Amino acid sequence: MTILLVEDDAFFQKFYSLKLTESGYTVVVASNGQEGMTKAREQKPDFILLDLVMPIMDGFSVLSELAKDETLKTVPVLVFSTLGQEQDIEKAKALGARDYVNKTFFDFDNLKSKIQSIMGT
Amino acid sequence: MADIDLSSFKGLYFQTAKEYLTTLEHAAQVLSKESTNDQAINDSFIASHSLKSQSSVMGFIEVSLLSGVLEKVFRSFKEKEKTVTPEILAIIFEAISSLRTSMTLLESEEKETDLHEVRDRLRKIGLGETV
């Protein structure tokens, strides 16, 4: 299963790509929304992990673009949040995000369980 | 938080945290000349958000809390709820300088600096909150 990780922060990129790879997922990394859309179109991932606050193109714009793309609109998206982003989470869900995790908790078991639940695996 | 050994992330933390501070310093300089520069406001919003997030993971609570208030201030500029004024900018410069000093101490002595005084003034002047 291929997961596209769209996250601008090198610190979180390293942690989550390492843990996802250790768990047997194939991970494709993008450092901003624009790169994320390019890689999504090229790689056709099975699942997308998406940060919301990013340079060049933010996570909300990515969700809007994904919804307009016939080949990508059914790919499940789980968004990364932090404390104090409750309104952002609601906005992301309204744009099609399936769920969210607080990325600062570094709780990989919770993330993995949400991915498995959404994917039905 | 999950039980994770964060020691291997320390180097990356300080490297990226210092980059975020440089971004904040540069953007504040831009805003002192052009207070409505959207790029500088957005860059500052992203940098303070990222610094808040990764400092929280590392357990550097003072840095995380002050960065979180900066994030709120820049979000209010980004969403046009507030405008950049010389008074707010002065406390922003002070906050960034305090973060830089704190970062140096954290890296050399692993000691957190109490930043509540500048944080409270930033909340009061930048967000209009009663502290």
Side-chain angles (χ1 to χ4, degrees), chain B:
Chain B
M1 187 187 292
D3 187 18
I4 301 280
D5 177 14
L6 292 170
S7 56
S8 61
F9 288 87
K10 217 172 242 182
L12 185 57
Y13 167 79
F14 283 114
Q15 180 195 324
T16 50
K18 283 187 270 187
E19 286 170 9
Y20 292 134
L21 285 176
T22 301
T23 299
L24 283 167
E25 285 159 352
H26 174 72
Q29 291 288 350
V30 171
L31 289 171
S32 68
K33 297 181 182 74
E34 191 191 342
S35 64
T36 56
N37 187 304
D38 287 339
Q39 184 67 54
I41 289 169
N42 198 44
D43 288 350
S44 302
F45 170 64
I46 293 169
S48 51
H49 168 81
S50 299
L51 188 56
K52 174 198 78 172
S53 305
Q54 60 178 41
S55 300
S56 162
V57 171
M58 294 302 294
F60 300 146
I61 302 307
E62 291 289 330
V63 173
S64 180
L65 288 173
L66 182 53
S67 305
V69 180
L70 273 175
E71 178 192 2
K72 281 186 184 175
V73 172
F74 286 113
R75 185 190 281 264
S76 74
F77 296 152
K78 187 175 150 75
E79 293 177 355
K80 314 290 184 200
E81 293 167 359
K82 285 189 179 294
T83 53
V84 180
T85 64
E87 190 189 18
I88 296 178
L89 203 53
I91 184 72
I92 287 172
F93 270 114
E94 195 181 330
I96 297 168
S97 172
S98 299
L99 285 169
R100 178 70 80 181
T101 306
S102 179
M103 195 66 64
T104 305
L105 261 177
L106 269 176
E107 194 170 18
S108 61
E109 300 176 29
E110 297 194 10
K111 186 179 166 188
E112 272 228 273
T113 309
D114 182 351
L115 299 169
H116 88 272
E117 197 271 331
V118 66
R119 185 172 71 238
D120 285 352
R121 278 191 294 118
L122 182 62
R123 284 175 57 200
K124 189 176 172 187
I125 297 167
L127 298 169
E129 293 180 359
T130 309
V131 291

Side-chain angles (χ1 to χ4, degrees), chain A residues 67-112:
Chain A
K68 284 187 267 179
D69 190 306
E70 283 302 315
T71 60
L72 295 171
K73 67 181 182 186
T74 55
V75 179
V77 180
L78 189 149
V79 294
F80 277 148
S81 72
T82 62
L83 287 176
Q85 278 192 283
E86 291 75 16
Q87 286 183 329
D88 287 348
I89 291 165
E90 290 312 309
K91 186 177 169 186
K93 282 184 174 173
L95 287 167
R98 298 282 287 273
D99 205 344
Y100 73 98
V101 290
N102 185 320
K103 68 179 179 181
T104 67
F105 289 169
F106 264 28
D107 187 349
F108 187 72
D109 288 342
N110 177 47
L111 171 63
K112 196 172 163 185

Side-chain angles (χ1 to χ4, degrees), chain A residues 38-59:
Chain A
T38 302
K39 290 196 172 172
R41 289 183 177 115
E42 287 170 1
Q43 311 270 339
K44 304 283 187 293
D46 303 296
F47 196 92
I48 297 174
L49 271 172
L50 178 68
D51 191 23
L52 292 174
V53 179
M54 291 184 290
I56 303 174
M57 184 188 215
D58 66 19

